[in-house]
Amino acid sequence: MKIKVGVLFGGWGEEREVSVKSGQFVVENLDRNKYEVREVLVNRIEDIIELKGEIDLAFIAFHGKIGEGGYVQAILDLLGIPYTSASPLPSQIGMNKWLFKRVLQSEGLTTVSDIVLDYVTKRILVNENGGYRQVLSRICLRQTVRLIAEKWSYPVFVKPADSGSSFGISKVKNESQLRPAVKEATKFSRQVIIEPSLEGKELTVTFVGKTVLPPILIIPHKGEFFDYASKYEEEGAEEICPAPIDSRLSRRLQRLTLKIKKVVGVETYGRVDFVYKPDEDVIYPLEINTVPGMTTTSLVPKAAAAFGWSNQRLLDEIIRLVLPEQNHTPEV
Ligand SMILES: Nc1ncnc2c1ncn2[C@@H]1O[C@H](COP(=O)(O)OP(=O)(O)O)[C@@H](O)[C@H]1O
Ligand SMILES: [Mg+2]
């Protein structure tokens, strides 16, 4: 009997376009000898609810807040349908970069310091000595400029806490660019993170269960950082895998990836983005992606290929984490 896999993609957020491409990739590469594939272009919540009793497993190729941030996962849990991403809580932690940093800090892991404009609780917090402290009980950009000047020099990064694909992220070069950058970030999130710009090597590491794939070095070409154009346009960035870094750094990255996977509680697969600063010899985790891009030009298939896995094998390995009892040898 073939396993009935529903491939969920689409959605109604800003990442719909990327999600459709990820969905197509998964649909095209699932081994038809093992799986009966059902394409599920999600336009409304009912498209998911209707799957009850119809599929054995949902392959989530659905990025952004709804598909990646725990909502779809919770619905599938309620429907009793196993799925390929992390469960709701780690999905939420992964979706919110601020929450992610707080979890890492509480485990004693290093994160880049930041100022948070929290429009939910209406206050400004700063990250000091491994914890967040409220510095102002309202949000004031003049005070934010002052705080930045006290702590760092420009450029700084302004980012929405819970978005993806670099939407709403700006590299701010001077005071006057701060207000428009915060405004842009608030289009995507009610929590805005300001971080110093980490000048170093940008690296990303994929894990599939306990298997860590070779790190990828990212050199953006289209933008000044790994922005939307660099991520998705042709020749947008150079992505070298395995990363040309020394084996000790590669092992450190891989160990740190597993540690982060563990403390966040991701049991399936994912990708962690880092910046390594050679002058400090410190690796800073930026975020964990619990439904990483899975298009033909995405980083995860690239890392899998460098590890000797075909696209088909990559998808098999992911599914095997969810349905371990299944025998994945083809039927004869
Ligand atoms: N503090 C930082 N220093 C340097 N580059 C950063 C920093 N934060 C983000 N970036 C750049 O912005 C990109 C997107 O940031 P990231 O936190 O990974 O969010 P997203 O979910 O949009 O991928 C990164 O890949 C990196 O190029
Ligand atoms: Mg990223």
Side-chain angles (χ1 to χ4, degrees), residues 97 157 159 165-166 195-196 198 202 225-226 231 273 287:
K97 295 180 177 77
F157 270 83
K159 321 200 270 191
S165 286
S166 297
E195 291 174 349
L198 295 165
E202 184 157 357
F225 63 98
F226 202 32
K231 277 179 178 164
D273 295 341
E287 60 152 352

Side-chain angles (χ1 to χ4, degrees), residues 34-300:
K34 298 176 190 163
Y35 313 112
E36 191 183 313
V37 179
R38 175 165 168 167
E39 290 182 43
V40 186
L41 174 62
V42 180
N43 291 311
R44 11 164 244 149
I45 213 75
E46 288 80 359
D47 296 332
I48 300 173
I49 294 169
E50 283 162 8
L51 296 172
K52 188 174 171 62
E54 296 280 308
I55 56 172
D56 300 315
L57 168 106
F59 200 111
I60 302 181
F62 195 160
H63 313 300
K65 262 173 236 177
I66 310 272
E68 196 166 350
Y71 295 94
V72 164
Q73 289 76 9
I75 293 169
L76 291 168
D77 276 346
L78 294 173
L79 295 172
I81 300 173
Y83 48 88
T84 52
S85 83
S87 54
L89 182 59
S91 297
Q92 288 194 315
I93 297 170
M95 192 65 225
N96 189 311
K97 295 180 177 77
W98 184 27
L99 195 52
F100 170 70
K101 286 170 82 166
R102 293 174 87 156
V103 169
L104 262 51
Q105 282 183 9
S106 70
E107 298 280 341
L109 295 173
T110 304
T111 61
V112 61
S113 75
D114 54 358
I115 297 169
V116 177
L117 309 183
D118 184 6
Y119 288 86
V120 177
T121 58
K122 300 189 180 53
R123 57 196 181 137
I124 300 180
L125 298 100
V126 297
N127 176 353
E128 272 166 3
N129 308 322
Y132 285 88
R133 180 174 69 85
Q134 176 183 312
V135 289
L136 200 68
S137 61
R138 65 196 162 85
I139 294 183
C140 164
L141 289 194
R142 270 224 320 273
Q143 291 293 338
T144 309
V145 165
R146 191 183 54 75
L147 283 167
I148 292 172
E150 270 172 22
K151 289 167 80 69
W152 318 305
S153 53
Y154 288 88
V156 297
F157 270 83
V158 174
K159 321 200 270 191
D162 53 347
S163 189
S165 286
S166 297
F167 282 112
I169 301 186
S170 308
K171 187 170 183 175
V172 168
K173 302 206 177 104
N174 54 52
E175 281 180 29
S176 67
Q177 293 177 356
L178 187 72
R179 187 174 293 276
V182 170
K183 201 163 173 203
E184 180 63 18
T186 54
K187 288 186 193 160
F188 298 92
S189 178
R190 296 182 66 207
Q191 293 169 324
V192 177
I193 303 174
I194 306 172
E195 291 174 349
S197 177
L198 295 165
E199 304 301 327
K201 287 185 198 301
E202 184 157 357
L203 297 142
T204 191
V205 185
T206 301
F207 59 89
V208 180
K210 294 196 174 76
T211 306
V212 193
L213 306 184
I216 300 180
L217 175 70
I218 298 168
I219 307 169
H221 286 319
K222 280 271 149 81
E224 282 184 63
F225 63 98
F226 202 32
D227 60 2
Y228 192 87
S230 299
K231 277 179 178 164
Y232 301 112
E233 282 179 18
E234 200 84 15
E235 314 277 311
E238 212 174 318
E239 297 159 350
I240 310 167
C241 190
I245 51 176
D246 72 54
S247 55
R248 205 182 131 259
L249 178 59
S250 183
R251 280 198 302 277
R252 271 172 71 193
L253 278 162
Q254 291 182 315
R255 271 200 306 274
L256 186 54
T257 300
L258 283 181
K259 175 85 184 167
I260 291 170
K261 163 195 187 301
K262 174 111 183 153
V263 302
V264 176
V266 179
E267 286 176 340
T268 47
Y269 77 112
R271 211 191 74 223
V272 187
D273 295 341
F274 299 98
V275 175
Y276 170 68
K277 280 200 78 185
D279 51 335
E280 297 173 9
D281 192 28
V282 174
I283 302 170
Y284 291 98
L286 291 179
E287 60 152 352
I288 186 168
N289 297 287
T290 56
V291 185
M294 201 61 101
T295 71
T296 43
T297 58
S298 287
L299 296 159
V300 170

